[in-house]
Amino acid sequence: MTAHHPKENTVPGCELSTYHDLAQVLADLPRLLRAERRRRQLSVRAAARELGCSFATVSRIESGEDCVLSNAVTVLRWLDEAEPTSATEAAQP
């Protein structure tokens, strides 16, 4: 029996298959945040309250400006709490 060797460049302890996948999620964060906020019918201020950050932070993330890692983690966890949506819904601006 052959030992299973993880794919090269896999992310240890993570369901994403590669660092590239993780980078893509982070690059898509502005679009994902805006889509989920709109799906929940929240204003930027209301989403900021739910996230526990400022209006300016949510606005910067949605506009694609650099955000600190702790804010990215907070947004990803908030997105994970969301009900599943179809790919079509998430792609709408």
Side-chain angles (χ1 to χ4, degrees):
M1 186 176 247
T2 330
H4 174 71
H5 295 287
K7 185 176 169 183
E8 193 173 318
N9 294 326
T10 58
V11 182
C14 184
E15 291 182 25
L16 297 173
S17 61
T18 65
Y19 290 116
H20 180 273
D21 292 344
L22 180 57
Q24 189 60 51
V25 168
L26 292 172
D28 288 342
L29 196 59
R31 179 187 58 78
L32 295 169
L33 174 57
R34 178 176 284 118
E36 181 59 24
R37 180 179 61 76
R38 288 179 175 170
R39 188 190 73 78
R40 294 186 192 193
Q41 299 179 336
L42 296 173
S43 67
V44 173
R45 288 192 192 285
R49 274 192 301 275
E50 283 194 11
L51 286 160
C53 61
S54 70
F55 168 89
T57 296
V58 173
S59 183
R60 278 194 309 272
I61 294 170
E62 283 192 2
S63 67
E65 295 177 29
D66 286 339
C67 74
V68 296
L69 184 57
S70 61
N71 288 333
V73 169
T74 298
V75 170
L76 290 169
R77 287 182 175 148
W78 184 76
L79 290 170
D80 197 42
E81 294 172 1
E83 296 174 14
T85 60
S86 69
T88 307
E89 265 185 290
Q92 292 177 354

